[in-house]
Amino acid sequence: MAESPSAVSSSSFRAEFILASAIAGVTVLIIVLGSLLWSGARLNANEYEVVAMVRAVRAEIAGAARAQADAEALAGRFVATRNAALLADYDRAKVEARARSANASRLAAGDAEVGESLTSLENLIERRLNILDAEIAAGPGAAARQRPEQDIYTQFRHESDALQVLLNGRIDVARIAEDNAHRRLDMITIMLGVLSLVASALAIFALRREREQWRLAQAATEAARVKAHESDLAKTRFLAVASHDMRQPLHALTLYLSALERRVEGAEARDILQKMDRATQSMVGMFSMLLDLARVQAGVVQPEIDDVRVQDVIDRIIAEHPGGKISAAPTPMIVRSDPALLERILANLVANALKHGGGRARIETRALATFAEIDVVDDGPGIPLEDQNRIFEEFVRLDGRAGAEGLGLGLAIVKRISDLLNVPIRLVSAPGRGARFILRLPLVAANGGPVETEPTAAVTMRGANVIVIDDDALAREAIAGALRDIGATVRVGANEAELDSLLGQGASPELLVMDLRIDGLLQGVDIAQRACARMHRAPRVIIVTGDTAPETLAMLRASGFAWLIKPVDARALSEAAAAELHAA
């Protein structure tokens, strides 16, 4: 029996009312979410400020302690030898001790409790310096009768320990506040997702109630499906194009960690720094996998087929995993493929083998009639037959497998890139017998000439004049620091106007490192070309970018400049810079 018009109208009204309520709820949650995001950003900024303050205060207190120790040592030598030449160094040590302790108090001026603790330390330092002054002023016999105030050292140690606890507490409070904000944000996000799903379901229900004919309902459903598909493609394209802004902080972080590693000497600190670096590299790897998948899905990756020396690709992959984790016999083979995409396939397969194959992997090559086969082999637990197709799907990780961290995207990217290159990939595996992934590529030559291995030398740019232009302060200083660490003389600027100012002041760089996106526009190549044109001797140029759209890469290739994709680590930057200067 057909429903009466009044019943249909009442049902439609109820559906529309519920839908309107759901939309209102979504709107409120969006507002709350925006507020929480703003609050979280403030808490994050506060945490960075607290951590920066704590690090600076610790550095000043350590410096004051070192200067006090120097003063004590110099005072002891003077009392023993009465060498007046030591007094100048003694006075400088006292000045530094007082200045560093005063700087610590100034840095913590906004925190009364920390400031009070620092004042106590400063008074203890002053007391000890006064005792040293008295010992120096006394005669040789009187100095021997002095009794050092041992309680000063005890008090200093206690005050220092209390200050460290207090400073750590400040960091903990800031982080707890940020974690609480993140939890609230996660809760609101979940609620927003659930309410959005409810609103979507109600919208479909209301739409179906309004349509009485099956054909129109089917058309609406098809339209919704197409729209969802287009939305997914738009999201993927956005992720591929927006990679510049997302790569920027990782780019700076990678360079800063490399710079910090060269400056840290303590074993414990170096161990912590190495763990931070491993965590950062893991984050960079997962981020790169997400971007790779997005770029392939969006269709922005276009293969550039060329002759590829297989040994060169293998050498680069082995260099990424030192310590003999990868074994591979030398091979002279040359194949036909895209060098970068082939390297990505093999790198992902090797990473998968290292993670699931007991921490070791083998690369084997062999030449057939017209094809070359490259195998990546591990001795891990193997893959059951029923799972061998599923492992190439996105976000799939087999249960019970060691090393289950990661996103489950490595093999999915391998499959998509191999399909893009029309390179068949075959898996041979069984439980308890490891896994062998086999790539088959067109063979150009089975014997490409002798394989030469060049020794790796330390990269240096001592005395080279370099200008770095980047509108992001963190990235700019990170690049400059990495180049200064290998001996370069570096000047920096944020845009073309500052570059022109540097050149107008007489700067004559041998190398110009230029970010592609300046002030939101892809104008780095144009700025570099104009700068080269106005100089008597044009410098070599390296363009650094996080934009990976096909038209952007085509523009970079056409420019004739060297270029690097963010995030760039210190080694890649140094080697590229040294290579450009050598080619000049």
Side-chain angles (χ1 to χ4, degrees):
M1 181 189 303
E3 294 182 352
S4 65
S6 60
V8 173
S9 175
S10 175
S11 177
S12 297
F13 175 79
R14 287 196 301 271
E16 290 173 0
F17 175 78
I18 297 173
L19 178 61
S21 300
I23 291 174
V26 170
T27 303
V28 171
L29 283 177
I30 289 175
I31 294 173
V32 174
L33 183 62
S35 175
L36 287 176
L37 285 171
W38 179 75
S39 175
R42 291 183 58 191
L43 289 172
N44 192 39
N46 177 66
E47 181 185 348
Y48 285 150
E49 292 174 0
V50 170
V51 171
M53 183 273 285
V54 168
R55 289 176 176 172
V57 168
R58 285 174 173 167
E60 293 298 332
I61 290 300
R66 285 195 299 271
Q68 178 188 335
D70 292 341
E72 291 194 22
L74 291 165
R77 290 172 59 192
F78 174 80
V79 169
T81 64
R82 311 306 292 181
N83 183 359
L86 298 172
L87 292 178
D89 291 337
Y90 168 74
D91 289 336
R92 280 194 292 272
K94 288 198 305 178
V95 169
E96 182 180 358
R98 287 166 174 156
R100 296 298 287 267
S101 60
N103 284 342
S105 297
R106 178 180 56 78
L107 290 168
D111 192 315
E113 192 174 359
V114 173
E116 183 179 349
S117 181
L118 287 171
T119 300
S120 298
L121 285 175
E122 191 172 0
N123 291 337
L124 290 172
I125 292 174
E126 189 63 31
R127 284 175 59 191
R128 183 55 188 154
L129 293 178
N130 290 338
I131 290 173
L132 294 177
D133 287 340
E135 291 179 355
I136 289 176
R145 294 191 296 273
Q146 292 290 332
R147 290 292 182 269
E149 296 188 27
Q150 295 296 332
D151 63 316
I152 292 181
Y153 301 105
T154 303
Q155 293 177 35
F156 189 91
R157 189 162 54 250
H158 289 166
E159 288 290 342
S160 296
D161 292 342
L163 177 61
Q164 294 300 326
V165 172
L166 190 59
L167 292 174
N168 290 336
R170 292 295 184 268
I171 295 177
D172 292 341
V173 168
R175 287 177 175 169
I176 289 172
E178 185 182 8
D179 289 340
N180 290 336
H182 286 165
R183 282 192 288 271
R184 290 194 297 270
L185 182 61
D186 291 341
M187 184 180 301
I188 293 297
T189 302
I190 292 172
M191 293 174 61
L192 180 60
V194 171
L195 197 53
S196 297
L197 290 175
V198 172
S200 299
L202 289 174
I204 294 174
F205 172 74
L207 183 62
R208 289 179 65 87
R209 295 293 297 177
E210 292 177 359
R211 300 292 189 268
E212 297 181 357
Q213 299 181 12
W214 180 86
R215 184 179 59 84
L216 294 178
Q218 185 71 11
T221 302
E222 179 64 18
R225 188 194 66 77
V226 171
K227 184 177 180 180
H229 180 66
E230 290 175 350
S231 175
D232 184 64
L233 288 179
K235 175 197 68 177
T236 306
R237 291 193 183 98
F238 166 78
L239 187 60
V241 173
S243 63
H244 172 273
D245 292 336
M246 292 188 289
R247 289 177 190 267
Q248 195 82 319
L250 285 179
H251 170 60
L253 177 61
T254 301
L255 292 175
Y256 278 130
L257 280 176
S258 298
L260 184 59
E261 186 175 9
R262 290 188 289 270
R263 289 164 172 79
V264 169
E265 296 180 357
E268 181 180 6
R270 291 189 67 85
D271 180 65
I272 293 173
L273 189 60
Q274 288 172 359
K275 292 175 181 177
M276 291 172 60
D277 184 63
R278 286 197 297 269
T280 302
Q281 293 304 322
S282 177
M283 180 171 60
V284 170
M286 289 188 288
F287 175 78
S288 297
M289 282 190 179
L290 283 171
L291 285 180
D292 285 345
L293 184 62
R295 292 172 65 223
V296 174
Q297 286 179 331
V300 299
V301 176
Q302 298 299 325
E304 297 182 7
I305 306 301
D306 199 356
D307 291 349
V308 182
R309 287 176 57 89
V310 176
Q311 187 64 45
D312 293 342
V313 177
I314 293 175
D315 288 342
R316 287 192 293 271
I317 294 174
I318 292 177
E320 293 177 2
H321 302 278
K325 299 177 181 178
I326 305 170
S327 59
T331 175
M333 289 195 312
I334 298 176
V335 297
R336 190 78 177 160
S337 186
D338 181 298
L341 295 181
L342 176 59
E343 183 172 342
R344 170 56 70 187
I345 290 177
L346 291 176
N348 283 12
L349 289 175
V350 167
N352 181 76
L354 293 175
K355 184 182 297 183
H356 302 302
R360 301 189 66 83
R362 300 191 307 277
I363 301 177
E364 300 176 0
T365 59
R366 56 186 169 275
L368 305 177
T370 57
F371 293 94
E373 286 191 342
I374 304 176
D375 299 0
V376 177
V377 188
D378 67 65
D379 297 320
I383 303 170
L385 183 62
E386 61 271 21
D387 291 326
Q388 291 186 9
N389 288 327
R390 196 165 63 89
I391 61 171
F392 291 102
E393 298 174 3
E394 297 163 13
F395 308 108
V396 169
R397 295 177 299 181
L398 299 185
D399 295 335
R401 185 62 55 83
E405 72 275 8
L407 298 174
L409 291 176
L411 294 181
I413 293 172
V414 166
K415 185 66 170 66
R416 289 184 177 272
I417 295 178
S418 65
D419 290 343
L420 184 66
L421 294 175
N422 195 26
V423 172
I425 180 169
R426 184 162 52 96
L427 170 60
V428 177
S429 182
R433 297 186 179 181
R436 178 183 295 269
F437 293 86
I438 305 170
L439 297 175
R440 173 170 285 196
L441 301 105
L443 178 64
V444 176
N447 186 352
V451 177
E452 300 178 357
T453 302
E454 297 182 358
T456 301
V459 177
T460 180
M461 294 177 60
R462 189 169 304 281
N465 292 315
V466 182
I467 290 181
V468 175
I469 302 296
D470 195 315
D471 59 357
D472 184 277
L474 280 176
R476 182 171 63 246
E477 291 305 321
I479 292 175
L483 294 175
R484 289 187 182 112
D485 282 349
I486 58 173
T489 301
V490 184
R491 299 185 182 184
V492 299
N495 48 42
E496 186 171 13
E498 294 188 12
L499 173 60
D500 290 341
S501 176
L502 290 173
L503 296 179
Q505 295 170 14
S508 181
E510 301 166 64
L511 177 66
L512 174 62
V513 180
M514 169 72 66
D515 189 48
L516 179 61
R517 187 177 291 272
I518 300 293
D519 296 331
L521 301 176
L522 298 176
Q523 56 179 332
V525 170
D526 295 334
I527 293 174
Q529 290 173 340
R530 287 193 290 268
C532 290
R534 63 177 290 189
M535 298 176 64
H536 176 68
R537 182 182 179 187
R540 305 292 293 185
V541 177
I542 297 177
I543 303 294
V544 182
T545 182
D547 296 89
T548 55
E551 57 273 16
T552 302
L553 299 180
M555 176 183 67
L556 290 172
R557 285 190 290 270
S559 70
F561 297 144
W563 45 279
L564 297 170
I565 298 295
K566 298 176 183 177
V568 180
D569 60 28
R571 176 181 175 183
L573 175 64
S574 302
E575 290 178 350
E580 286 301 305
L581 290 177
H582 180 74

